[in-house]
């Protein structure tokens, strides 16, 4: 369907002068040029905007205004996007390489959702390993029932099936968003390559218990109460086995 799809890459940031340049450079240095870069800033006061200003010529849309949280900011970016696919690449995260978008474009024909693997990186931008959850060979809306096995920074969704984030969720609205898109998708394509570098930490990691509770509610909504309870027993068992073998996961 698309020989040269346009990717709308949306970066949300607030007071992250340390990391924002890494994210921006990973986008503006792409060899593939059919992209629309959108940056949504929450009125940063730590020098973040000065860094963004250096790359203004490569940014299609820059908004700096107060928001009601990260997912409200994401909705602002989504509302302004005009590309064939949207990707949310938050401040601190990076596209895997300069060829990432070109590689994704090559396998995009007919796809409603495109996805790939993610490396975890630390504050020094060093790769520290893979995510605990393995990316499924084939993905559909039921694939998250045992956990979010595709990183949000590694999933490209056709804009026409992407709904706004549900602001009732403050930590896991991205899970709800992906499942809703996947329910509409006819074709999901595994790129079979690493497409992102994910900076470990984040709000859901910092507020882990609240995040788990919210995720449980979302899964219950889509998968049902009894299946969800069983699925979480499976998740807990897998986590115990993982920790015995590898220690505490980074993601």
């Amino acid at each position: 369907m698309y020989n040269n799809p346009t990717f709308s890459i949306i970066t949300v940031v607030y007071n992250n002068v340390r990391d924002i340049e890494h994210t921006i450079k990973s986008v503006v240095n792409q060899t593939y040029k059919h992209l629309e870069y959108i940056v949504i800033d929450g009125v940063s006061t730590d020098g973040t905007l000065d860094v963004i200003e250096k790359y203004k010529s490569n940014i299609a849309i820059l908004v700096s205004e107060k928001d009601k949280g990260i997912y409200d900011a994401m909705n602002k970016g989504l509302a302004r996007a005009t590309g064939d696919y949207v990707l949310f690449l938050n401040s601190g995260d990076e596209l895997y390489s300069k060829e990432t978008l070109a590689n994704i474009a090559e396998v995009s024909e007919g796809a409603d959702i495109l996805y790939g693997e993610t490396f975890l990186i630390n504050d020094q931008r060093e790769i520290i390993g893979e995510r605990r959850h393995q990316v499924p060979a084939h993905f559909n809306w039921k694939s998250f029932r045992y956990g979010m096995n595709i990183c949000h920074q590694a999933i490209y969704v056709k804009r026409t099936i992407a709904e706004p984030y549900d602001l009732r969720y403050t930590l896991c609205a991205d899970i709800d968003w992906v499942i809703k898109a996947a329910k509409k998708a006819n074709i999901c394509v595994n790129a079979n390559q690493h497409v992102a570098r994910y900076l470990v930490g984040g709000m859901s990691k910092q507020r882990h218990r609240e995040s788990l509770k919210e995720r449980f509610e979302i899964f219950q909504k889509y998968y049902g109460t009894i299946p969800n309870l069983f699925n979480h027993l499976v998740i807990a068992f897998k986590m115990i086995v993982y920790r015995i073998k590898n220690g505490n996961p980074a993601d």
Side-chain angles (χ1 to χ4, degrees), residues 59-96:
I59 298 172
I61 298 171
L62 171 60
V63 175
S64 183
E65 63 186 26
K66 290 186 177 180
D67 54 61
K68 299 173 185 176
I70 187 169
Y71 296 118
D72 180 43
M74 288 180 172
N75 281 343
K76 291 180 180 183
L78 183 60
R80 290 167 170 80
T82 64
D84 300 304
Y85 295 94
V86 293
L87 172 76
F88 288 90
L89 190 72
N90 290 338
S91 181
D93 303 324
E94 302 173 40
L95 297 176
Y96 174 63

Side-chain angles (χ1 to χ4, degrees), residues 184-225:
K184 293 181 178 181
N186 293 314
I187 299 175
C188 298
V189 174
N190 185 346
N192 290 306
Q193 59 192 282
H194 286 86
V195 300
R197 298 170 187 253
Y198 170 60
L199 181 63
V200 295
M203 191 59 69
S204 60
K205 187 74 173 178
Q206 295 164 22
R207 296 166 59 187
H208 190 55
R209 284 190 179 181
E210 293 173 67
S211 174
L212 290 177
K213 182 175 181 291
E214 194 168 279
R215 186 188 70 178
F216 185 90
E217 292 174 0
I218 291 169
F219 286 171
Q220 182 171 277
K221 178 174 71 172
Y222 289 106
Y223 306 134
T225 302

Side-chain angles (χ1 to χ4, degrees), residues 119-133:
F119 275 124
L120 304 178
I121 60 174
N122 60 19
D123 291 342
Q124 287 71 50
R125 323 308 297 183
E126 301 165 333
I127 293 176
I128 57 175
E130 305 268 0
R131 295 186 71 237
R132 174 170 55 90
H133 294 292

Side-chain angles (χ1 to χ4, degrees), residues 92-174:
D93 303 324
E94 302 173 40
L95 297 176
Y96 174 63
S97 73
K98 293 180 180 179
E99 290 76 36
T100 292
L101 292 185
N103 294 338
I104 288 287
E106 284 185 7
V107 298
S108 66
E109 189 168 355
D112 297 306
I113 288 177
L114 299 147
Y115 65 96
E117 300 276 1
T118 303
F119 275 124
L120 304 178
I121 60 174
N122 60 19
D123 291 342
Q124 287 71 50
R125 323 308 297 183
E126 301 165 333
I127 293 176
I128 57 175
E130 305 268 0
R131 295 186 71 237
R132 174 170 55 90
H133 294 292
Q134 289 187 327
V135 168
H138 304 286
F139 175 73
N140 61 37
W141 70 274
K142 295 181 180 179
S143 296
F144 278 4
R145 64 189 184 277
Y146 298 128
M148 192 171 181
N149 48 21
I150 302 176
C151 191
H152 194 49
Q153 292 79 357
I155 189 163
Y156 296 72
V157 175
K158 190 183 287 184
R159 184 174 55 83
T160 53
I161 66 170
E163 296 183 21
Y165 289 83
D166 189 334
L167 300 186
R168 290 178 299 171
Y169 305 118
T170 59
L171 297 171
C172 297
D174 49 337

